[in-house]
């Protein structure tokens, strides 16, 4: 059974050196082929049928694919639950296909814009969201990871009211370069404090 397919183009512009790589095909559904408002997984396909297979496009797609794959693997492996929250605030990898540049990830729910339009009441308290924001930023900071695509479409709320940060194809991290990571820890302190402020401003603009 064919699942729902949409071409997803984030509203924020892609990085200049990676034209067209934000085009994706997303499939949503349950393992049995059925589709619901809260499907279990999302297939994120970085090279869809609309893109040509030129070497330039392949290089861009490959870079974005492996950035996302690496970031999600690291976040799950090194996750620190601080402050303590009752969910994992990032997508989890179910499977990946390097040949076709696709990753099947857990579905994190509706983005903030969709949530506001849905008029559903799934919200937790502001304190709960602040704890989640701090947990997200603490994990980025732990990996000296930066997320270069921060906007309302990359924050999601699921059917339990849990908040997640998604879309890591433009992220950067230095986890595999310890000396570089140590230098960046001090350099990036202001970045993570800015994330805390920016995340709060975006989220509470849509959920209050």
């Amino acid at each position: 059974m064919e699942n729902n397919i949409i071409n997803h183009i984030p509203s924020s512009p892609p990085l200049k050196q990676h034209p067209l790589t934000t085009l994706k095909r997303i499939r949503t559904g349950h393992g049995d082929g059925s589709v619901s408002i809260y499907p279990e997984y999302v297939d994120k396909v970085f090279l869809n049928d609309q893109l040509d297979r030129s070497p330039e496009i392949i290089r861009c797609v490959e870079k974005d694919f492996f950035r996302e794959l690496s970031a999600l693997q690291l976040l799950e492996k090194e996750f620190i639950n601080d402050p303590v929250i009752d969910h994992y605030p990032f997508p989890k990898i179910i499977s990946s296909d390097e040949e076709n540049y696709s990753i099947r990830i857990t579905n994190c729910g509706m983005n903030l814009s969709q949530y506001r339009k849905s008029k559903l009441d799934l919200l937790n308290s502001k304190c709960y969201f602040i704890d989640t924001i701090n947990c997200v930023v603490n994990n980025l900071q732990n990996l000296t990871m930066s997320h270069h695509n921060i906007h309302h479409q990359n924050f999601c709320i699921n059917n339990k009211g849990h908040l997640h940060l998604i879309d890591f194809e433009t992220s950067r991290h230095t986890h595999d370069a310890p000396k570089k990571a140590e230098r960046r820890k001090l350099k990036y302190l202001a970045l993570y404090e800015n994330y805390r402020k920016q995340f709060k401003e975006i989220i509470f603009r849509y959920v209050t």
Side-chain angles (χ1 to χ4, degrees), residues 116-190:
R116 186 164 66 178
K117 291 176 182 176
S118 74
K119 298 182 179 179
L120 293 173
D121 185 12
L122 303 172
L123 295 181
N124 289 292
S125 68
K126 276 194 174 184
C127 290
Y128 180 90
F129 280 125
I130 290 172
D131 282 348
T132 302
I133 290 167
N134 286 329
C135 186
V136 166
V137 176
N138 288 344
N139 278 276
L140 296 179
Q141 188 168 6
N142 182 51
L143 297 170
T144 55
M145 182 180 293
S146 52
H147 189 297
H148 294 268
N149 200 12
I150 300 296
H151 57 83
H152 65 278
Q153 291 189 353
N154 285 338
F155 289 98
C156 291
I157 297 176
N158 67 10
N159 58 332
K160 295 181 179 179
H162 293 159
L163 181 70
H164 303 78
L165 176 65
I166 66 169
D167 273 1
F168 286 84
E169 70 263 26
T170 59
S171 65
R172 305 285 191 281
H173 66 80
T174 55
H175 188 72
D176 55 350
K179 290 183 179 179
K180 192 174 182 180
E182 284 301 316
R183 291 195 301 270
R184 284 194 175 186
K185 278 184 180 179
L186 292 176
K187 182 180 177 182
Y188 278 21
L189 282 176

